[in-house]
Amino acid sequence: MEKNLKQKQSTVIRVALFGPESTGKTTLAKQLAEHFNTTWTPEFARDYLQEKWDRTGKICDVNDMLPIAYGQNELENNSLDSANKFLFCDTNLMVTKVFSQVYYNFCDPILEKAARKHKYDLIFLTDIDVPWEKDDLRDKPEQREAVFKAFKQELIDTNKPFITLSGDQETRLQRAIAIVKDLEKAIQIKMAPLDFVQIQEHGVSLDNIQKQLNIFKNGIAKTVLVEPATVSNGILKFSDDDFKQKADFFDANKANLKLTKFVPASGAASRMFKFLNEFLNDFDIENESINGYINRKRDLDLSIFIVGLEKFPFYKAVDKQLKEIYPDFKLLERDYKTYYFIKTLLSSDYFDFANKPKGVLSFHKYKTHIATAVEEHLHECVSYANSNGSSNLQFTVSESHQTQFESIVEAVKPKVEEQSGTTIDISYSFQNKSTDTIAVDMKNKAFRDKNDKLFFRPGGHGALIENLNDLDADIVFIKNIDNVIQNNLEAISLYKKALAGVLIELQQQVFQYLNQIDNSTEEGLEEIVEFAKNKLNIVLIDGFSKYTLKNKISHLKGILDKPIRACGMVKNEGEPGGGPFWVQEPKGAISLQIVESSQVDTENAKQNKILASATHFNPVDLVCGIRNYKNEKFDLTQFVDHNSGFIVEKNQNGRPLKSYELPGLWNGAMAKWITIFVEVPLITFNPVKTINDLLKPAHQLKK
């Protein structure tokens, strides 16, 4: 046997099994080789030590380590000649190295150097969550945990690309197969092994990473606007009596429906306080007056904040805290009082409002208490999203914020339930990390953090289509966390229930027609076509009238068997954000969509003119039907326009980067839904985008 520890070079993809004794390495190596129709390298030490035991009755000692390493290396090099694309190695030199260190507290420098130098495209670290199987060559089962930690630490210390495999034999095999398939794709695009491991551990699809990198390279096609949706041209307009009738229809038909209110609430309130943070960073209390700062910066927002200070719902709490911090607070000059007020409001040692989620902030001041946005949503939920004395509410939150939400819910839920006579089932969901997107630098190369790791950012609220998809509900009411009101809850409920009435009425007719279509008869098709065109605003494709009966039925079923959403639209008051438009899809079809300004080519004069002529604005006031006519849940991920995401420019520790945001929840993520737009009063739209919005009448207690 030639004493050689040099690893033969090859284009074969090498995967090593790495871990303590009796963790399934041999079994998995055999299974993977069989699945991928290739060979595997067995463990040289087993035959070597068995022969030694049979011959001498002695077990392994430190002098066996180097001979085992030589034999293992030769087996691996020889196996390459018969490998078919992949080689699965039951063990490798690093296993021998770790055993030498653990058992004998020594490793021959020749072995140590070679073990570190050997490279594998991937290493599977086999966990110890499988039963110990005793044989002549295995001992010390009580030390499995310590030995496993030594194996894992070795991989970390040497910066090797590894993924831990846990679970039973079948679970490990299926996960390993999926990972190896992805590994092959990664190698084809010349992705570094450590990057591949990071992507796998993050749970992001490799295919999605490739698509995102291509989007950065090629850009995103802009939405082609045909014309704005207007009243009588895509937007329904109702009288007060009409709204009452639709709301009554909802109430009359909700008994057999499971209703859920869905509230996106994961973001922190940092943007609400942006101008106050800028003030603290730029203002010098010792050398400038606040009025001087306002004039210098032309900071109207700060001026409004100071004038309305005592009207904010948190004023008394902050004022009380200030008097505890500064015993002589009453004697301070006005500028110092204002400065310390803002500082205490944002300080992490006290209120830390800019780093908390919007939902837990003080929003409204009542005669008896201060209410948060979370509490207001509970009141709304029992007001319109209730059936048979029960109501369901889900907040999408950041995991780190959940306890703050739960604390408020625990305090106010019993009171709301008692007042309303309705029980509320409250749940929480998180934005799945697998929906995070990769960031790139300004040259479209993968952006890396200070540790040279790939940098991922949340995929935006479009990722919440998966959370919505997981809901067990018939009808879902969607409203943003900050869009609550202090006054006129009864009116808000009327319009929300009216939207639900519109949806259910149309949904019942759609379901009737789909059942009729299943009978595959010509009778009634013309009526269905007129309904689709006039009630659902669906533009049929050219040449539909010339289709065969079979193709007509297939096409009609395809355009009707979809989730339905009824969207409230308010008159355009100059608010930034999306609006309702007729758009032309890539294949020429025309449909109703909610479009953000960033989706439009504003350098195109014609497109910019259409954008500017919009009469209505999207207040994110939706009611959704997410079951089909067979009472089965739709897979909402199948109705997403994946070409309608956004590229945004951000900053990480002073370094610019570009990030991809998934198609928006009510934009591209719902692009293939049946869409109904209804004009609703401006009173239904009261978001709190900056802290000064809380000074508006809708957020102040009526006298």
Side-chain angles (χ1 to χ4, degrees):
M1 180 186 305
E2 182 184 354
K3 293 184 178 181
N4 178 9
L5 293 183
K6 185 176 181 182
Q7 192 179 38
K8 183 192 291 186
Q9 298 304 301
S10 172
T11 57
V12 170
I13 298 172
R14 284 189 242 216
V15 178
L17 283 301
F18 185 81
E21 297 175 322
S22 192
T23 54
K25 297 190 296 295
T26 302
T27 299
L28 186 57
K30 288 179 180 179
Q31 291 173 324
L32 288 172
E34 181 179 356
H35 180 86
F36 288 98
N37 191 30
T38 187
T39 189
W40 64 286
T41 303
E43 181 184 8
F44 177 81
R46 175 155 293 277
D47 289 340
Y48 174 91
L49 294 175
Q50 187 67 56
E51 189 274 333
K52 178 180 178 178
W53 172 263
D54 294 340
R55 179 169 46 84
T56 67
K58 295 181 179 180
I59 61 172
C60 183
D61 62 46
V62 68
N63 295 317
D64 292 313
M65 295 295 99
L66 206 51
I68 288 173
Y70 287 132
Q72 189 64 50
N73 188 62
E74 183 178 31
L75 276 181
E76 181 179 320
N77 286 342
N78 291 340
S79 298
L80 288 169
D81 296 333
S82 57
N84 174 29
K85 194 184 299 185
F86 300 99
L87 176 64
F88 298 99
C89 304
D90 179 15
T91 187
N92 63 8
L93 298 194
M94 195 169 288
V95 173
T96 310
K97 172 182 181 294
V98 175
F99 272 126
S100 184
Q101 291 170 327
V102 168
Y103 280 81
Y104 312 115
N105 200 29
F106 169 79
C107 181
D108 190 295
I110 297 175
L111 170 57
E112 181 165 0
K113 181 179 179 181
R116 288 177 176 271
K117 193 172 182 180
H118 278 208
K119 293 182 179 179
Y120 296 87
D121 296 289
L122 183 64
I123 296 172
F124 283 130
L125 173 62
T126 49
D127 206 345
I128 56 174
D129 58 342
V130 290
W132 171 272
E133 294 183 6
K134 180 175 175 55
D135 66 19
D136 292 341
L137 303 178
R138 292 173 175 164
D139 62 356
K140 301 182 180 179
E142 72 282 356
Q143 294 185 12
R144 292 182 89 196
E145 187 171 344
V147 174
F148 177 79
K149 288 181 179 178
F151 270 84
K152 185 173 182 178
Q153 192 60 49
E154 180 68 21
L155 293 173
I156 294 170
D157 292 343
T158 54
N159 201 28
K160 298 293 185 183
F162 76 95
I163 293 173
T164 303
L165 291 180
S166 303
D168 60 31
Q169 187 178 115
E170 183 61 24
T171 299
R172 293 185 183 202
L173 175 61
Q174 294 307 318
R175 182 166 182 240
I177 288 172
I179 292 172
V180 171
K181 287 179 178 178
D182 273 353
L183 175 63
E184 183 180 10
K185 294 179 186 177
I187 289 173
Q188 287 172 352
I189 60 173
K190 299 181 179 179
M191 179 178 288
L194 288 171
D195 289 345
F196 172 76
V197 167
Q198 186 185 349
I199 290 169
Q200 287 287 320
E201 291 178 341
H202 205 92
V204 181
S205 160
L206 186 64
D207 288 340
N208 285 344
I209 294 290
Q210 287 183 268
K211 289 176 184 176
Q212 291 161 21
L213 292 174
N214 286 334
I215 286 171
F216 287 122
K217 181 180 178 181
N218 302 319
I220 297 175
K222 295 293 186 179
T223 298
V224 179
L225 304 180
V226 176
E227 59 181 334
T230 57
V231 170
S232 300
N233 183 29
I235 300 179
L236 298 174
K237 184 176 177 65
F238 294 137
S239 66
D240 290 344
D241 287 342
D242 291 332
F243 276 118
K244 180 67 167 56
Q245 183 270 323
K246 299 297 182 186
D248 289 344
F249 183 83
F250 165 70
D251 282 332
N253 285 271
K254 69 182 182 181
N256 296 321
L257 298 173
K258 183 172 182 181
L259 311 175
T260 295
K261 185 177 183 183
F262 182 76
V263 182
S266 56
S270 52
R271 292 183 184 178
M272 282 179 62
F273 300 92
K274 182 181 178 183
F275 71 91
L276 293 181
N277 268 317
E278 290 175 349
F279 165 71
L280 291 179
N281 290 333
D282 195 36
F283 178 67
D284 182 357
I285 187 68
E286 301 296 333
N287 296 300
E288 186 177 25
S289 68
I290 291 180
N291 192 53
Y293 173 88
I294 291 172
N295 291 332
R296 174 169 66 86
K297 302 285 288 190
R298 298 180 181 177
D299 196 337
L300 180 61
D301 289 332
L302 181 60
S303 178
I304 293 172
F305 177 83
I306 293 171
V307 170
L309 203 60
E310 294 186 15
K311 293 183 179 181
F312 284 109
F314 47 78
Y315 173 78
K316 287 187 177 180
V318 179
D319 187 61
K320 180 182 178 182
Q321 183 71 65
L322 286 168
K323 290 171 181 175
E324 293 177 5
I325 301 171
Y326 307 102
D328 59 345
F329 183 75
K330 288 184 178 180
L331 303 178
L332 295 177
E333 295 178 7
R334 182 180 177 184
D335 271 13
Y336 277 89
K337 288 181 178 179
T338 302
Y339 174 73
Y340 288 140
F341 185 98
I342 296 172
K343 191 172 182 179
T344 303
L345 182 70
L346 302 186
S347 171
S348 59
D349 293 330
Y350 297 103
F351 291 86
D352 199 25
F353 268 20
N355 292 315
K356 290 182 177 179
K358 283 185 181 182
V360 307
L361 301 184
S362 302
F363 259 44
H364 298 147
K365 178 171 62 176
Y366 290 94
K367 291 180 179 179
T368 58
H369 70 291
I370 303 297
T372 62
V374 167
E375 179 178 343
E376 299 291 21
H377 274 287
L378 264 65
H379 284 291
E380 277 199 18
C381 191
V382 297
S383 180
Y384 54 75
N386 69 83
S387 177
N388 301 314
S390 65
S391 190
N392 302 285
L393 172 60
Q394 182 172 113
F395 293 106
T396 67
V397 301
S398 298
E399 291 186 62
S400 60
H401 293 157
Q402 183 175 345
T403 54
Q404 297 179 58
F405 279 78
E406 289 175 334
S407 177
I408 292 172
V409 166
E410 184 179 352
V412 303
K413 180 172 173 264
K415 179 182 68 175
V416 177
E417 289 181 325
E418 182 180 359
Q419 291 174 349
S420 64
T422 303
T423 60
I424 315 172
D425 182 9
I426 296 178
S427 60
Y428 303 91
S429 66
F430 316 119
Q431 186 170 312
N432 195 327
K433 283 180 68 67
S434 67
T435 63
D436 288 356
T437 61
I438 194 168
V440 297
D441 62 21
M442 305 314 285
K443 294 182 179 180
N444 297 325
K445 301 295 184 183
F447 186 94
R448 296 183 180 276
D449 63 17
K450 61 182 180 181
N451 297 316
D452 202 36
K453 296 280 191 180
L454 298 175
F455 187 69
F456 293 92
R457 295 191 72 255
H461 62 66
L464 298 181
I465 194 67
E466 294 195 6
N467 303 60
L468 186 63
N469 197 42
D470 289 338
L471 290 179
D472 178 22
D474 299 299
I475 303 296
V476 181
F477 297 84
I478 300 181
K479 201 175 187 188
N480 276 340
I481 186 67
D482 63 344
N483 188 14
V484 287
I485 192 172
Q486 177 147 6
N487 310 308
N488 297 316
L489 177 58
E490 185 176 342
I492 294 296
S493 298
L494 169 67
Y495 296 118
K496 204 71 172 177
K497 290 198 289 187
L499 285 177
V502 171
L503 183 141
I504 293 172
E505 193 172 21
L506 291 172
Q507 187 183 60
Q508 288 179 354
Q509 187 64 69
V510 168
F511 288 179
Q512 179 183 326
Y513 284 142
L514 284 168
N515 280 305
Q516 183 177 323
I517 285 172
D518 278 349
N519 294 324
S520 301
T521 62
E522 184 87 49
E523 184 180 353
L525 284 190
E526 188 173 330
E527 179 184 328
I528 297 173
V529 168
E530 290 304 307
F531 171 78
K533 289 164 57 177
N534 298 327
K535 297 295 185 180
L536 303 182
N537 295 301
I538 293 173
V539 179
L540 296 179
I541 61 174
D542 293 339
F544 174 81
S545 60
K546 298 178 181 179
Y547 277 20
T548 64
L549 173 60
K550 181 179 179 181
N551 287 339
K552 283 182 179 178
I553 289 172
S554 175
H555 184 67
L556 286 174
K557 188 168 185 178
I559 62 176
L560 292 180
D561 194 14
K562 296 180 176 182
I564 305 176
R565 57 175 177 162
C567 312
M569 291 290 150
V570 297
K571 288 184 178 179
N572 196 330
E573 299 287 335
E575 293 280 355
F581 291 89
W582 291 95
V583 308
Q584 181 175 311
E585 298 172 14
K587 293 184 179 180
I590 306 296
S591 64
L592 277 179
Q593 302 290 343
I594 297 172
V595 181
E596 303 284 344
S597 57
S598 58
Q599 294 176 265
V600 181
D601 182 6
T602 53
E603 294 183 2
N604 181 307
K606 184 177 180 181
Q607 289 291 291
N608 201 35
K609 184 177 180 181
I610 296 173
L611 179 66
S613 63
T615 59
H616 288 72
F617 173 78
N618 164 41
V620 189
D621 190 6
L622 286 75
V623 183
C624 304
I626 59 174
R627 288 189 182 273
N628 66 17
Y629 70 111
K630 296 180 179 179
N631 199 32
E632 302 164 332
K633 283 180 60 179
F634 282 108
D635 179 0
L636 302 182
T637 64
Q638 299 303 305
F639 299 89
V640 176
D641 177 6
H642 294 285
N643 297 315
S644 58
F646 309 86
I647 295 176
V648 295
E649 293 189 8
K650 298 289 183 178
N651 191 286
Q652 176 67 14
N653 296 328
R655 297 164 57 202
L657 59 81
K658 291 193 290 187
S659 177
Y660 174 69
E661 293 194 358
L662 300 172
L665 182 59
W666 32 85
N667 306 110
M670 294 181 174
K672 298 177 184 179
W673 291 38
I674 294 173
T675 297
I676 308 298
F677 292 143
V678 180
E679 182 181 271
V680 292
L682 194 59
I683 193 175
T684 62
F685 183 53
N686 300 282
V688 180
K689 300 304 180 186
T690 80
I691 191 62
N692 286 347
D693 287 331
L694 289 177
L695 299 174
K696 294 178 179 179
H699 298 286
Q700 293 288 314
L701 184 65
K702 284 184 176 179
K703 295 182 180 179

